[in-house]
Amino acid sequence: MVVYSFYIFDRHAECIYKKKWASRPTSTGSSRSQQANGLPDGASQQKALSAEDDAKLVFGTIFSLRNMVRKLGGEDDRFISYRTGQYKLHYYETPTSLKFVMVTDTKTNNLRIVLHQIYVSLYVEFVVKNPLSPVEHPRGIGVNCEMFELGVEQFVNASLMS
């Protein structure tokens, strides 16, 4: 199994943690865009999004899909994951509206339990119970806890990438 990236969003839609392990595969389309003068504009060589833009796109996707699931299925239905041709996005939301998102390859089974374990075993233990860690993360100030980062790295490498 390949883990591409992991994100944590707070209740204010700010990305407070992001970690990338591998880059997601890009689709291989045969269409090429051209400038007004007829020359290829380089769009066929997809530019890598900045980490901030990537996090905003991921949050916008989960926000939209979560709302669509609630409107179509009712309040009891939950958005868990979705799959494209290149990746699968896994989602877990805590009672305090923290959103844990992991992007993996398409062959991966549901990781909702894994995301819950990361929340309970790592986030709560190393971030919430840390007296030096802020309760809120205003203006994009993210999780700055070395023990949490090390724990996530070890957990993903040991549990998911083996």
Side-chain angles (χ1 to χ4, degrees), residues 65-99:
L65 288 173
R66 187 191 63 182
N67 286 342
M68 184 179 70
V69 167
R70 285 186 180 162
K71 286 182 181 177
L72 294 175
E75 289 295 319
D76 294 337
D77 286 340
R78 303 262 181 220
F79 167 61
I80 296 171
S81 66
Y82 83 93
R83 181 184 324 222
T84 69
Q86 281 79 32
Y87 65 91
K88 184 172 182 181
L89 185 141
H90 308 269
Y91 176 75
Y92 173 73
E93 185 170 356
T94 68
T96 57
S97 296
L98 285 172
K99 295 150 188 71

Side-chain angles (χ1 to χ4, degrees), residues 4-47:
Y4 298 125
S5 55
F6 173 65
Y7 302 90
I8 301 175
F9 298 96
D10 68 2
R11 61 189 174 115
H12 304 294
E14 293 285 340
C15 182
I16 60 172
Y17 183 79
K18 57 187 159 269
K19 173 75 176 162
K20 291 191 182 245
W21 282 274
S23 60
R24 287 190 295 251
T26 58
S27 60
T28 54
S30 61
S31 63
R32 293 186 178 196
S33 58
Q34 296 183 345
Q35 295 177 351
N37 61 7
L39 298 173
D41 65 352
S44 60
Q45 302 171 355
Q46 293 183 351
K47 292 182 182 176

Side-chain angles (χ1 to χ4, degrees), residues 30-156:
S30 61
S31 63
R32 293 186 178 196
S33 58
Q34 296 183 345
Q35 295 177 351
N37 61 7
L39 298 173
D41 65 352
S44 60
Q45 302 171 355
Q46 293 183 351
K47 292 182 182 176
L49 293 173
S50 72
E52 184 178 324
D53 289 341
D54 195 31
K56 287 178 184 179
L57 286 173
V58 169
F59 183 81
T61 301
I62 62 171
F63 181 80
S64 299
L65 288 173
R66 187 191 63 182
N67 286 342
M68 184 179 70
V69 167
R70 285 186 180 162
K71 286 182 181 177
L72 294 175
E75 289 295 319
D76 294 337
D77 286 340
R78 303 262 181 220
F79 167 61
I80 296 171
S81 66
Y82 83 93
R83 181 184 324 222
T84 69
Q86 281 79 32
Y87 65 91
K88 184 172 182 181
L89 185 141
H90 308 269
Y91 176 75
Y92 173 73
E93 185 170 356
T94 68
T96 57
S97 296
L98 285 172
K99 295 150 188 71
F100 288 72
V101 179
M102 188 170 284
V103 181
T104 65
D105 63 345
T106 57
K107 298 172 186 148
T108 307
N109 292 330
N110 184 8
L111 295 181
R112 186 172 174 87
I113 294 172
V114 171
L115 293 174
H116 176 74
Q117 288 175 339
I118 291 172
Y119 169 64
V120 171
S121 302
L122 299 173
Y123 188 82
V124 170
E125 290 300 319
F126 296 124
V127 178
V128 174
K129 292 182 179 179
N130 182 353
L132 300 176
S133 180
V135 175
E136 294 286 328
H137 300 274
R139 296 177 301 283
I141 297 172
V143 174
N144 188 15
C145 179
E146 191 174 317
M147 292 297 293
F148 174 73
E149 292 180 21
L150 182 63
V152 168
E153 183 76 30
Q154 290 176 346
F155 183 83
V156 169

